[in-house]
Amino acid sequence: MPECPAGGGGLLPAELRAWMLLLAATGAVEQRLRTVVKEKLDVSHDEFLVLCLLAEQPEGGLRMTRVAELLGRPKTRLTYQIACLQHAGLVTRRSVCGDRRGIEVALTDKARRLLAETSGTLAETVTEGLTRFMGPDQCAAMRGLMPDLSQEPRGT
């Protein structure tokens, strides 16, 4: 496994070194995933992230504001990405009942089929990228730390 450039005796505390290693691992995965996603799905990486969020919904879709919040994207940028996905026949948009400003986005059957066909290759790409930086136990621990993104945020 590659070491963080700060090694073990540098100035950075262990938590920051771990964070830097995690950033390096996710950066390597994203770089490879961008190519595979374009080849297999013919969408951008950011559009792919939208599809992944929607794929986790048991039924229906997500409000655009929730998608923007989960991805940390401005709503205007998301609107463009959704338009591209809609044009490709991968998502639908509809107004939310009782909220004239609310728009819900959902996957089409075409998108579900494409994701099902390519999910094995995409998962292998992620696994290969992560295992360059982490062992199997670390990867499992990381998955256990991730929140369930399909759940609405709890009030604070």
Side-chain angles (χ1 to χ4, degrees), residues 75-146:
K75 291 178 197 168
T76 53
R77 182 170 166 198
L78 179 64
T79 299
Y80 174 77
Q81 292 167 341
I82 296 296
C84 291
L85 290 169
Q86 188 175 20
H87 181 74
L90 300 174
V91 300
T92 59
R93 283 193 275 200
R94 68 178 181 90
S95 295
V96 177
C97 268
D99 182 357
R100 64 183 185 93
R101 294 185 309 152
I103 302 291
E104 185 176 85
V105 185
L107 291 180
T108 63
D109 290 339
K110 176 183 176 181
R112 290 182 189 286
R113 191 172 51 258
L114 274 172
L115 288 171
E117 291 169 2
T118 60
S119 63
T121 302
L122 297 169
E124 286 174 22
T125 302
V126 171
T127 300
E128 287 170 10
L130 288 177
T131 55
R132 287 182 47 218
F133 293 86
M134 299 181 222
D137 291 342
Q138 292 168 315
C139 287
M142 183 188 72
R143 281 191 304 272
L145 293 172
M146 297 298 119

Side-chain angles (χ1 to χ4, degrees), residues 1-9 17 20-21 24 132-133:
M1 291 186 293
E3 287 290 323
C4 188
R17 283 196 314 274
M20 295 305 296
L21 185 59
R132 287 182 47 218
F133 293 86

Side-chain angles (χ1 to χ4, degrees), residues 28-45:
V29 168
E30 279 194 15
Q31 186 175 14
R32 179 67 185 122
L33 202 54
R34 285 178 196 281
T35 303
V36 174
V37 163
K38 190 65 177 166
E39 283 174 9
K40 302 291 182 185
L41 298 172
D42 195 28
V43 298
S44 73
H45 184 262

